[in-house]
Amino acid sequence: MKITIPNLGLLSFLLLFFSATVLFTACDTDDDGPGMTQDDDDDDDDDDDDDLIFTVGDEEVSGIWKAGSEVTVTGSITIPENESLTIEEGVRVIMAGDGGIDAPEIRVRGSLYCYGTEDNRILISARDEDRTPENYFRGLWGGILATETVQDMVFEYTDIEYTGAPAQPGSPIVAEGELDEGEPRYAIYMQDNGLTSNLILWHSRIAYTKDDAIRLNGARTLIAHSVFELNGETGGEAVNTKSGTVGDFAYNLIYGSATNGLKAANSKGREPQCDNYYYNNTIVNSGWRRAQAGRGGSLNYEAGARGECYNNLVVNCRFGLRLRQPDSEPDLDNLKYDYNFYFGNHQDIVDEFYPSNGMLGDELPLPENDVLGGVGENDPLFANYDVTVFDHFSASDGSNAQPLSGSFSLTADSPAASGGTVDFSPRFDTYVVNGVTYVTPAPSPFFGAFGVEN
């Protein structure tokens, strides 16, 4: 099966989710690929259909959770090494946590494949009665945490919400030294050394997390056409990557993250060097809940990380592209950046388009082709979102956090509708995982994730 991405210039944002033309070329139906096995006995189909509502907890799981199932998880579950769990379209996974240290998590020692569709998404979230604004940053359940033995994780058209419960003593994220017991868990955590594993986040959404939405200590990574909404209470990135993480991060919407939208650091001592390509992302109202002074913003490279950074649309964020100063600077010989677009509705924001605690404009010259101006200049003219009403003072208080609404596509007369660059290539042309080929989206000449609305 092959997924092909069309030209995204006319892509619209609708009801928080994305639409894209997806063309499928069928593979040999006798070879379903790892994690896609089927029962050879068709006579068992009627029995299987009786098991679409069930409960699991404190046990190992693998095989297939069938389309339309409702699964309640009452205790932490583990996908064993060299095995896989496939979650089909329309499955609802209810993580029955209360925000305590015993709140369940999904531990991935093998592979996890979540195959939702545009019309029938997968939901992995808290109980319905707990999915409230009061619980945006409470961290009701643990997250999806992969160990050193993980093979692959794929999330297509999947929504993950309300993660960040305190880390358990037996959690792999504690055993491997990433977190101490009691610290908030991440929505997705993965580690790998030598690019032996893949992470695909495709048309998916991660919302209402107590800390990072995604923390990667290595993986061959494609994160595209996805939404990150209100990630981190007083700290936390949408995507926080360390050494061993190489890949493409493109056409994503990041809204209201506590700290950075996308952050790369070549720390933790894994191979290869952290190499992240950030392009055509829209980052809005981010960085304001970060409690520590001088931290928080939109795009960040540090500690020997390398990559390329173009065509991003940064609106009302605490900082623009930040290259940390000497003693923790990125790999400047292998880092390229330019053609990013900035808007701020207050002087405090405009003053930090080039962060005062970064290298741009100080040790390094300013990019030649960025778009920026004074207060209120270069309004990107989103199709249905008013950038002028944002209040960065109140945004520092998590109790004032507003859920995502509106459309972040551009109007025809938007200054962000053109002026970007297409003179670069993605880090990887394709990603092949579990028999599926994901074609990495090419850069577009507009700024941000969506282009002009149809």
Side-chain angles (χ1 to χ4, degrees), residues 40-73:
D40 292 331
D41 187 357
D42 291 337
D43 293 338
D44 290 339
D45 286 349
D46 291 339
D47 293 336
D48 292 341
D49 290 341
D50 293 334
D51 298 323
L52 295 181
I53 301 177
F54 57 95
T55 298
V56 295
D58 298 312
E59 61 189 275
E60 293 186 342
V61 296
S62 61
I64 299 173
W65 289 355
K66 287 189 172 183
S69 296
E70 182 178 289
V71 184
T72 299
V73 180

Side-chain angles (χ1 to χ4, degrees), residues 89-110:
E89 63 185 81
V91 171
R92 179 172 179 163
V93 182
I94 302 170
M95 303 299 297
D98 60 3
I101 201 165
D102 294 326
E105 64 189 23
I106 300 173
R107 302 171 180 174
V108 185
R109 303 187 187 278

Side-chain angles (χ1 to χ4, degrees), residues 52 151 155 170 222 281 315 373 435:
L52 295 181
Q151 293 168 299
F155 302 90
L222 174 61
N281 299 288
V315 175

